[in-house]
Amino acid sequence: MGLTKTEVFTDQQNRVADLAKAFAHPARVAILQLLAQKKACVCGDIVDELPLAQATVSQHLKELKRIGIIQGSIDPPRVCYCIDEVVWQEARQLFGKVFDSVIVEKSCC
């Protein structure tokens, strides 16, 4: 199996790539939009609001939580999720730096 060679990139480049994974699937984008819309922790409603199976939603929530862009609290038998404001602001700042650092000329191609 090949190595990803993430160690040859800066910590910031690796973090931007990791945060970008949160937006790399439409289901994760939909989950983030749902959580942002609710402006509160969501407990159990996520599956009811998306046209996806429970297992699929759980896998996407797991990835979003691993990245750190959402946080979950366990209150058996429910798990409540919300956007982590600190990480959300970190993502906004890092993506902004990436976009601001690249100037694309109109006549490039």
Side-chain angles (χ1 to χ4, degrees):
M1 184 184 290
L3 298 174
T4 60
K5 295 194 178 197
T6 55
E7 69 277 353
V8 301
F9 300 102
T10 67
D11 289 342
Q12 183 176 354
Q13 289 166 330
N14 280 302
R15 184 62 176 150
V16 168
D18 206 29
L19 287 166
K21 290 176 189 173
F23 300 93
H25 193 285
R28 290 196 285 271
V29 172
I31 291 168
L32 289 170
Q33 288 175 323
L34 175 67
L35 293 175
Q37 256 179 353
K38 298 283 184 176
K39 296 182 180 164
C41 286
V42 176
C43 304
D45 308 6
I46 297 172
V47 173
D48 298 335
E49 306 248 0
L50 298 173
L52 301 169
Q54 172 69 53
T56 303
V57 171
S58 292
Q59 285 294 356
H60 287 297
L61 288 168
K62 181 180 175 184
E63 181 65 7
L64 290 168
K65 198 169 175 189
R66 183 198 64 77
I67 293 165
I69 203 156
I70 68 169
Q71 52 190 345
S73 60
I74 300 171
D75 185 17
R78 302 181 331 173
V79 179
C80 299
Y81 293 98
C82 60
I83 290 177
D84 185 315
E85 273 299 314
V86 172
V87 178
W88 187 261
Q89 292 305 322
E90 175 193 15
R92 288 180 59 140
Q93 180 185 30
L94 288 173
F95 289 141
K97 283 182 182 178
V98 169
F99 287 117
D100 290 345
S101 70
V102 178
I103 299 172
V104 179
E105 296 295 327
K106 187 176 180 181
S107 61
C108 174
C109 296

